[in-house]
Structure formats: structure tokens, C-alpha cells
Amino acid sequence: MASIEARPYAAIAEEYARDVTSGTIPACKSIRLQGKRFLAELKKQKRRDFPYRFDVAKAERVCRFIERMPHTKGKWARAKDSIHLEPWQIWIICCTFGWVRKSTGMRRFRILFVIVPRKNGKSALSAGIGLYMLCADGEFGAEVYSGATNEKQAWEVFKPARLMAMRTPALCSKFGVEVNARSLVRVDDESRFETITGDPGDGQSPGQDGVFVDHGDDQARDQPGLADEEQAGDDTPDDHSGQRSPRRGEAAHQPGVGRSHPAAASRCSSGMWCTEIRLRNTQ
């Protein structure tokens, strides 16, 4: 794939966490607490009794991959621009893919839950992460799904992912990806990225490596991932000052797609909607 200008993604993520914690960037209580935790654990990882470490190379690899993907609609797509991740997006990706277990090198977090306002690139970000998990996550026979209760919503993530693959011949060539009408397939090992519809818990959930909806976990996989990225609604309460801090084993991120869940967002002092992020380890 085409070369891109290298950026210090891990440093950008750390700076974002510092700005949120200090109040330079307005954020809700949940994000401030997670920024504080992120910074504290960067120091704590040096202790022998702390079971996790932050792998800069793994975190930055995902960011580089996504920034090689093209925009799929709007003025940036017309100009054939590639995705340029914002600091908050880099922080999400670095937290999700950077924290690993010292004992195994496997990812610490398995569930990502993100709420952001409309027009913040949820689908493009999710599509990029999905393509990474299909092509470059190191899972043989990977299964990645964009899921929702109806086909139209499920395509909100799969469609941009498919367009990204179609418009990036180097990606398809490097990883042997076949672009079909309703699926992306890595031919060598039958890895696939496709849509899935139905209600969570309906007994139809497949074994997955990345799912962009609430469809459970798969113990047969080394690093299964579940993500839910949702849109903040206009009827969200203004004051969420009593919002709980992240539970142990929870914090911020790992793939996604979206149903409306307005009650989980909160307003900043500036009146803008804050991003809420929760990470959960399911093991």
C-alpha cells in the first residue's frame, strides 16, 4: 500500500489523555477518569506485579493501517483523500490494541463501547478497524461481522469497508482480499467480513474475531473482539456528574457499529456532546 507520513500515534494518544485530564479538552466524567487511568497505568506497567503492558508498536500499527484507507463519501472522497485520524480516535485505537497481557501478548480488552455525536466518522472508523481485523490481526480464518437488527443498519459499516477495499487495490493485492457483492474474503484462509442481522441472543451468533454490534464472545478465538459504537441523542440529560467511574476490567475500546443509546452520553461545560468510551475485559 502507498506510504504515508509517519506520526507518533502513541504520543498523540498520551497527549490527548493529558489534555482531557487537565481540562484543556472538555470531556465528561467517564472520559476524564479513563484518561487518568490510562496515564497512571503507563507508569504502573513497569511494576512486576502489574499484568499488562502498553505495546507501542501494536497500537501504532492499527493507526497506520487505517490512515492508509480512503474516505468513501463527501468532499474528502471526491478529493481522493485518505483518512486522517483525530486525537480522540487515536486514543481509542491505542487503548484497544496497545494494552496487552504480559504473560501472553494478547490484547487486554475484548469489548469496546463508544458513543459519539452524529457526523463524527463512526462508520469510517469502524470500517477501518474491521478491515484491519480481517487482513492484519494475525488470526487465521478471521470472521468479522457488521451486525444490526436490520440489513440497512448492518450495511452502515460494511458498505464503507467494501468501498475502502475496492478503492485500495494494494490492500487487496497484499492480503489477497476478494471483494464480493455482500462479503470481503481473504482467499488464502477464507477469512471473511460480512453483515449479519438479528436480535442479540437469538442463538445465531457465529464465532467471531470482530463484531460491530452486541453479538457475544467466542472462546475458540485467540483475540475475539466486540464493539458497539452508538450515536448520542438530543434527549440526553445535561448533567451526568454522578456517572460512575469505570469498573475494574473496563475502560475504553475494541471494534464497532451503532444503535441509538442516548442515555449514556453527557454534555461538556461548553455544551458539546462528549464521547463516552468503555473498555471491558471479558475473561
Side-chain angles (χ1 to χ4, degrees):
M1 292 185 284
S3 60
I4 59 172
E5 182 181 352
R7 291 207 284 162
Y9 299 105
I12 293 171
E14 185 173 348
E15 182 180 5
Y16 176 82
R18 294 188 186 282
D19 287 344
V20 164
T21 303
S22 68
T24 302
I25 295 177
C28 62
K29 183 178 180 181
S30 175
I31 295 298
R32 293 197 304 271
L33 288 171
Q34 290 179 60
K36 184 177 180 180
R37 166 180 168 169
F38 177 74
L39 296 172
E41 291 187 338
L42 286 177
K43 297 178 180 179
K44 192 184 295 186
Q45 67 176 322
K46 299 176 183 178
R47 290 172 22 186
R48 295 184 63 182
D49 61 341
F50 189 68
Y52 311 110
R53 65 180 177 86
F54 185 73
D55 191 315
V56 172
K58 288 185 175 181
E60 294 192 337
R61 185 169 187 254
V62 187
C63 295
R64 284 197 305 273
F65 181 96
I66 294 174
E67 287 203 333
R68 292 183 179 184
M69 298 299 103
H71 281 281
T72 60
K73 61 182 179 181
K75 61 182 180 181
W76 294 307
R78 184 183 299 113
K80 298 184 178 180
D81 287 344
S82 297
I83 291 172
H84 184 84
L85 296 170
E86 296 293 325
W88 68 270
Q89 295 172 317
I90 292 173
W91 182 59
I92 289 174
I93 294 167
C94 285
C95 285
T96 304
F97 290 89
W99 284 109
V100 299
R101 303 169 190 275
K102 290 179 179 178
S103 58
T104 65
M106 296 292 137
R107 283 195 291 274
R108 172 185 180 181
F109 296 114
R110 298 293 178 86
I111 296 177
L112 165 64
F113 177 77
V114 180
I115 296 178
V116 291
R118 295 179 69 247
K119 304 299 181 182
N120 269 271
K122 297 185 301 294
S123 297
L125 179 62
S126 298
I129 294 174
L131 284 173
Y132 176 84
M133 298 193 76
L134 171 72
C135 299
D137 199 38
E139 187 72 53
F140 189 89
E143 297 178 33
V144 182
Y145 298 93
S146 172
T149 56
N150 61 76
E151 188 74 12
K152 182 178 183 296
Q153 188 65 38
W155 271 77
E156 288 298 313
V157 169
F158 180 73
K159 182 179 178 179
R162 183 175 179 273
L163 288 173
M164 288 175 186
M166 288 179 62
R167 296 172 185 177
T168 315
L171 173 77
C172 298
S173 176
K174 180 177 178 64
F175 295 104
V177 175
E178 183 179 89
V179 181
N180 301 315
R182 304 180 69 85
S183 66
L184 299 174
V185 179
R186 204 173 69 201
V187 178
D188 285 350
D189 62 0
E190 288 298 313
S191 293
R192 59 198 312 107
F193 186 175
E194 57 193 10
T195 62
I196 186 171
T197 59
D199 294 325
D202 61 3
Q204 302 302 311
S205 302
Q208 70 274 353
D209 301 288
V211 178
F212 297 86
V213 74
D214 186 13
H215 252 284
D217 199 359
D218 181 10
Q219 299 302 321
R221 298 294 187 181
D222 287 336
Q223 300 189 101
L226 169 65
D228 191 358
E229 288 196 3
E230 306 191 355
Q231 178 180 304
D234 293 336
D235 56 345
T236 303
D238 289 350
D239 183 9
H240 245 257
S241 58
Q243 187 176 35
R244 68 166 178 81
S245 60
R247 296 193 184 106
R248 185 172 182 176
E250 216 178 83
H253 355 276
Q254 208 159 318
V257 86
R259 308 181 311 278
S260 179
H261 194 324
S266 63
R267 281 189 188 273
C268 306
S269 57
S270 63
M272 299 188 307
W273 290 108
C274 296
T275 304
E276 177 174 345
I277 302 166
R278 301 178 191 169
L279 269 180
R280 181 171 297 169
N281 169 22
T282 59
Q283 290 187 339

